[in-house]
Amino acid sequence: MLGQKAHVDPLNYFLSFYPDMPPTFDVIKERIGYSFKNKNLLIEALTHRSAIQEVKHRIYQQTDLDMLEQIPWNEKLEFLGDSVLSLGITTWLWYKGNLTCEGDLSKARSALVQESVLVLVARQLDLGSFIILGAATEKAGGRQRISILADALEALIGAIYLDGGFEVCYFITEKLFMPYIKKHLNEEVFADHKTRLQEVIQQTYGEPPDYQVVNSHGPDHNKQFVVECRIKGKLLAQGEGKSKKKASQIAAAKALKSTQLSSL
């Protein structure tokens, strides 16, 4: 039996249990804008542990089981892709993020590599349709499971890195994440100006800044709020926004840049 199986490629043998998957590989290559030189890396990135386990349960010959031991699922590539993605986002922030404070850079990176963003990118690619899953996992909704989608995206990034190098991987990552970069920079990084201002003022003056709504105008569906930021009764800055929270954040951002802060 060993002699008969020696000529069989383990990967092709594994894929014979999932005949509908190989035709989809060209589709995912087109969506990410990259053609793999080593297609085995793509297959590994898209293979979930449950698929290997399912095939093992369906065969009994030891030589076939031995062949399957040679086929990795995507967890190792996921581990690599997590670091590559972090480096790619860090590189983008360094060159194009227009941030100079280490704290802001760290918050921006954390906001962009969090699982919720990975899932958005994965769903944009319809990545769930290309993952090789065991039947039970698929029946349980595995193609839309958040952890499976996020892990597969990281594995795919790791595979691109190994196949094409960091520069190629960086540009693909930038393309995939660009729709979410500005949104999350605006909402999750700069939205934390109040915390930064409080840290500065609390350390120096021993009390937090005070925010007061001093005006509001416009119809109920499009109301604008004006908020003043003060410390020890002295006006630092004023912000205006569609919510009290947004107006406060704008006031805090202006206060951080204000010469009034240094003159207190």
Side-chain angles (χ1 to χ4, degrees):
M1 182 60 68
L2 182 60
Q4 294 176 9
K5 294 291 184 181
H7 68 284
V8 178
D9 177 67
L11 192 58
N12 287 333
Y13 176 69
F14 168 67
L15 288 177
S16 69
F17 290 86
Y18 299 94
D20 294 336
M21 295 309 301
T24 69
F25 294 153
D26 288 337
V27 179
I28 190 65
K29 290 175 186 177
E30 183 177 337
R31 290 189 181 180
I32 63 177
Y34 181 73
S35 182
F36 281 82
K37 297 183 285 290
N38 181 359
K39 72 170 186 177
N40 291 2
L41 285 170
L42 174 60
I43 296 169
E44 180 181 342
L46 297 175
T47 300
H48 188 255
R49 177 199 292 260
S50 63
I52 304 290
Q53 293 173 334
E54 178 184 69
V55 173
K56 285 182 177 179
H57 287 143
R58 292 170 63 181
I59 60 178
Y60 303 98
Q61 297 183 50
Q62 186 59 49
T63 50
D64 292 348
L65 287 170
D66 290 342
M67 261 199 297
L68 288 176
E69 294 296 335
Q70 303 175 47
I71 302 172
W73 55 88
N74 63 8
E75 289 181 15
K76 191 174 180 180
L77 279 176
E78 173 209 336
F79 171 77
L80 175 64
D82 176 68
S83 296
V84 174
L85 174 61
S86 182
L87 179 59
I89 294 298
T90 300
T91 302
W92 188 93
L93 289 169
W94 173 267
Y95 286 108
K96 302 180 181 180
N98 198 30
L99 299 171
T100 56
C101 173
E102 181 183 0
D104 283 347
L105 287 165
S106 295
K107 290 169 186 174
R109 180 176 59 196
S110 296
L112 291 167
V113 300
Q114 63 182 306
E115 188 177 63
S116 60
V117 178
L118 297 180
V119 171
L120 288 173
V121 176
R123 286 178 174 158
Q124 175 193 345
L125 293 170
D126 190 24
L127 192 57
S129 297
F130 306 100
I131 302 173
I132 306 173
L133 292 170
T137 302
E138 181 170 3
K139 188 176 180 180
R143 295 198 182 279
Q144 293 303 318
R145 191 179 301 169
I146 288 174
S147 59
I148 290 178
L149 289 173
D151 292 349
L153 180 64
E154 288 182 329
L156 185 61
I157 290 170
I160 295 170
Y161 167 73
L162 289 178
D163 194 69
F166 178 71
E167 184 174 359
V168 170
C169 190
Y170 168 80
F171 286 113
I172 291 174
T173 299
E174 180 182 34
K175 181 182 75 172
L176 294 178
F177 279 77
M178 183 54 67
Y180 309 100
I181 285 176
K182 291 182 179 180
K183 176 180 184 294
H184 282 269
L185 284 182
N186 289 334
E187 291 185 0
E188 299 193 37
V189 180
F190 297 127
D192 206 22
H193 280 310
K194 284 183 69 175
T195 299
R196 282 191 57 207
L197 180 64
Q198 180 163 330
E199 290 171 352
V200 171
I201 290 180
Q202 190 82 34
Q203 183 177 8
T204 306
Y205 304 106
E207 61 182 78
D210 179 50
Y211 297 90
Q212 293 290 333
V213 178
V214 294
N215 192 12
S216 65
H217 57 86
D220 289 342
H221 68 277
N222 191 30
K223 192 174 288 293
Q224 294 286 316
F225 295 88
V226 180
V227 171
E228 288 184 348
C229 175
R230 294 177 176 270
I231 179 67
K232 295 184 175 180
K234 185 171 184 178
L235 178 65
L236 291 180
Q238 191 178 83
E240 181 173 339
K242 292 183 178 181
S243 67
K244 297 174 185 178
K245 180 178 178 181
K246 183 67 175 178
S248 297
Q249 298 291 357
I250 293 173
K254 290 181 179 179
L256 284 166
K257 299 177 182 179
S258 173
T259 57
Q260 297 284 349
L261 187 62
S262 59
S263 66
L264 289 176

